Amino acid sequence: MPRPFWIRACCREGAVPRPYGGRRPPPCFIIAEIGQNHQGDLEIAKKMIRLVKECGADCAKFQKSELEYKFNKKALERPYTSPHSWGKTYGEHKRHLEFSHDQYRELQKFANEIGIYFTASAMDEMAVDFLHELAVPFFKVGSGDTNNLPYIKKTAQKGRPMVISSGMQTMDTMRRVYEIAKPINPNFCFLQCTSAYPLIPEDVNLRVIQEFQSVFPDIPIGYSGHETGIAVTVAAVAMGAKVVERHVTLDKTWKGTDHQASLDLGELSELVKSIRIVEKAMGSPVKTTPAM
């Protein structure tokens, strides 16, 4: 598969993805965040990869943790009585949802066979090492890890492109992340994100996209959304988002904390179509008269 636009744009030393002059800008890169909405079932995960590909997404993304490294014994053994729990303890719950290394290789092989990019959020530094071994096309840095500066440095040193979410972070923190990553690895983008599930429109703050574009003009800027519906994400693309990420689910009523803030497949398909229409409609800044 050809390299996605934002990776190509990042990898050109000193490249600035705006302005485009009279040329049509490259298409937005659309990430379908499966996360752990697969319910710990490998066949459901494969089905979701296939279906998001059919909806037109560019990438199927999961979440990878090395549980024994990320959590101590006490945390894994504590009782977990949430209605979303898959076990009596937090460890049992997390192990149910966590795919093994061999299962990740199987999912990656499946994604490659059907022609969709495959990656994951590395939820800890050991997961970064494993995903690097898998040769994923890019690392996703979740909002909760963005202010973990040693983690940012280690991930940047791997040399792979990075998609870095900004939920829960200040502009000062994002500047610091930029200052750490840029000299090591210029191949990254920032996503405007608000960490609420589901996210109400008043808390989205799409204008941060424009602020990021102003403060960080030499990297692509995108949007990661947890709102219901597709309108806000489409608006983000109209405002210049070059990468978008949305959670997806097969059933919003399933057990799990992310399903209600996810798009179903019909919504994902409509989102992709709407983004592609908006991209065509953006046209050129040159005022012209259509031929009659």
Side-chain angles (χ1 to χ4, degrees):
M1 291 182 290
R3 304 180 85 187
F5 148 68
W6 73 268
I7 295 178
R8 295 198 308 271
C10 288
C11 289
R12 294 198 305 273
E13 185 65 31
V16 179
R18 311 179 303 280
Y20 298 99
R23 296 180 294 112
R24 178 176 293 172
C28 177
F29 189 73
I30 302 172
I31 301 170
E33 164 71 277
I34 294 171
Q36 295 188 324
N37 283 352
H38 48 68
Q39 311 299 83
D41 188 312
L42 192 68
E43 293 308 310
I44 290 177
K46 288 182 179 179
K47 180 179 181 180
M48 293 184 76
I49 293 172
R50 176 176 57 80
L51 291 174
V52 300
K53 159 71 174 176
E54 292 175 1
C55 288
D58 297 297
C59 180
K61 189 179 81 66
F62 291 78
Q63 296 174 3
K64 184 72 185 95
S65 296
E66 300 294 343
L67 297 179
E68 310 303 325
Y69 175 83
K70 184 177 178 65
F71 300 102
N72 62 30
K73 184 178 180 181
K74 184 177 180 180
L76 292 173
E77 292 180 349
R78 69 177 173 86
Y80 191 58
T81 57
S82 163
H84 300 296
S85 174
W86 292 96
K88 294 181 180 179
T89 66
Y90 190 65
E92 289 178 2
H93 165 74
K94 295 296 289 184
R95 290 185 188 101
H96 175 84
L97 293 171
E98 194 66 47
F99 289 138
S100 69
H101 288 191
D102 284 343
Q103 288 174 316
Y104 258 81
R105 293 185 183 98
E106 186 174 344
L107 291 173
Q108 183 186 52
K109 182 174 182 289
F110 178 76
N112 288 341
E113 287 172 351
I114 67 172
I116 186 171
Y117 287 99
F118 173 89
T119 194
S121 296
M123 309 300 283
D124 54 73
E125 292 187 13
M126 291 292 288
V128 171
D129 289 336
F130 171 63
L131 293 174
H132 183 60
E133 176 190 326
L134 274 189
V136 294
F138 62 93
F139 293 119
K140 171 65 196 302
V141 178
S143 292
D145 289 309
T146 297
N147 63 350
N148 183 345
L149 301 183
Y151 168 97
I152 292 292
K153 182 176 181 180
K154 174 173 180 171
T155 306
Q157 288 172 334
K158 297 295 185 183
R160 297 189 184 280
M162 299 179 292
V163 175
I164 304 174
S165 280
S166 62
M168 302 182 286
Q169 309 304 332
T170 65
M171 183 61 81
D172 285 344
T173 297
M174 299 311 294
R175 287 191 179 95
R176 185 69 182 126
V177 170
Y178 177 92
E179 290 166 358
I180 290 173
K182 188 69 174 178
I184 303 170
N185 178 1
N187 306 339
F188 64 94
C189 69
F190 285 163
L191 306 186
Q192 161 57 1
C193 177
T194 302
S195 296
Y197 304 82
L199 175 63
I200 61 173
E202 292 83 352
D203 291 337
V204 172
N205 296 316
L206 283 180
R207 287 194 176 96
V208 174
I209 292 173
Q210 295 171 322
E211 183 66 10
F212 278 171
Q213 290 168 341
S214 175
V215 175
F216 311 111
D218 56 348
I219 63 171
I221 303 301
Y223 174 72
S224 177
H226 306 120
E227 71 279 1
T228 58
I230 68 170
V232 170
T233 305
V234 175
V237 174
M239 294 180 72
K242 304 307 177 190
V243 181
V244 297
E245 175 189 58
R246 291 296 304 270
H247 287 256
V248 295
T249 182
L250 297 183
D251 189 333
K252 296 187 183 187
T253 68
W254 276 358
K255 180 165 70 173
T257 55
D258 287 343
H259 291 288
Q260 289 187 344
S262 299
L263 300 179
D264 62 30
L265 294 171
E267 290 172 317
L268 176 62
S269 180
E270 188 61 31
L271 173 65
V272 174
K273 291 175 184 176
S274 297
I275 287 174
R276 301 310 179 212
I277 290 171
V278 166
E279 289 172 332
K280 292 177 182 178
M282 294 298 290
S284 166
V286 178
K287 180 64 176 172
T288 60
T289 302
M292 299 300 291

